[in-house]
Amino acid sequence: MSGAGPTSQRPPQAAPPATGSSSAIERANRMSVANMLRSLVPLVLICLALVGWMSFKQSGVDPVREVDPASTVQLAAARAGYPVVAPSGLPDGYRPTSARTDAGTAEAGDPVTLEIGYLTPSAEFAGFVVSDEARADAVTGVLDGAEEQGTVGLGGRTWTRGTTERGETVFFRVADGVTVLVTGSAPDDELEAVATAVRPVGD
């Protein structure tokens, strides 16, 4: 009896590992990073261009907001019970940046205060105040605690020179219950120029 024994079969062999798979992944990663950088570069350049353009555009903009104090001065002069004075004819470089008065709500006989602020040629502040209210905040805020340091003649008037508690120079004079003062962070010569320019409104 002839019979063949069971046929022997070789076990399947595992596929050899792909030696190039790791390098392919690395190449793909490098390509992804490169693509990302190529995409970001134009965006960065656009942002830098916009920043540069805005800086150039704003470089010529004057940040100082000037005001015309004329209407405020006229209102104070019309309502006050005393001859209002104010700086007039200041040299070039003095720029009014604020003007206010409480004359708008004043009734007959009420005190009236006028304040004008200037940016001086040295880019410092000079403030002018005139008031017939001795305890007005604009007056006491400067003169309370100020140390007097003699007198000086400015614009044909005698002013008292002092140093405020803030360490700023003040020139002031009081006559007939009316206080006039000039103070600020500006140097003395610029404050003196403001005080010298003070004259009755309408002159």
Side-chain angles (χ1 to χ4, degrees):
M1 180 170 109
S2 62
T7 304
S8 61
Q9 296 182 347
R10 293 182 179 180
Q13 296 181 352
T19 58
S21 61
S22 60
S23 59
I25 293 173
E26 291 176 0
R27 284 197 301 272
N29 289 338
R30 285 197 297 269
M31 290 180 64
S32 298
V33 173
N35 290 336
M36 184 182 300
L37 290 175
R38 280 194 291 270
S39 300
L40 287 176
V41 167
L43 294 176
V44 172
L45 292 177
I46 292 172
C47 290
L48 290 175
L50 287 173
V51 170
W53 181 75
M54 290 298 294
S55 299
F56 175 78
K57 181 179 178 182
Q58 293 178 356
S59 63
V61 176
D62 188 349
V64 178
R65 177 179 171 272
E66 290 190 49
V67 302
D68 184 357
S71 60
T72 304
V73 172
Q74 292 300 326
L75 176 60
R79 298 286 181 87
Y82 62 94
V84 172
V85 295
S88 178
L90 281 166
D92 292 341
Y94 289 83
R95 306 166 67 183
T97 57
S98 64
R100 56 182 176 269
T101 180
D102 55 7
T105 58
E107 299 181 358
D110 285 349
V112 169
T113 300
L114 170 67
E115 302 173 68
I116 306 175
Y118 298 91
L119 184 70
T120 68
S122 66
E124 294 293 340
F125 173 74
F128 164 82
V129 177
V130 58
S131 179
D132 61 342
E133 173 55 74
R135 300 310 299 172
D137 290 342
V139 175
T140 60
V142 175
L143 296 184
D144 280 5
E147 180 182 350
E148 297 185 12
Q149 298 169 328
T151 60
V152 59
L154 300 170
R157 300 277 187 172
T158 299
W159 299 71
T160 299
R161 184 191 187 282
T163 301
T164 70
E165 287 189 329
R166 296 176 58 181
E168 298 176 340
T169 297
V170 58
F171 296 99
F172 68 96
R173 53 187 173 86
V174 182
D176 300 324
V178 178
T179 302
V180 183
L181 66 85
V182 176
T183 190
S185 61
D188 285 12
D189 59 329
E190 291 182 338
L191 296 177
E192 289 175 358
V194 176
T196 300
V198 172
R199 52 183 51 90
V201 174
D203 281 9

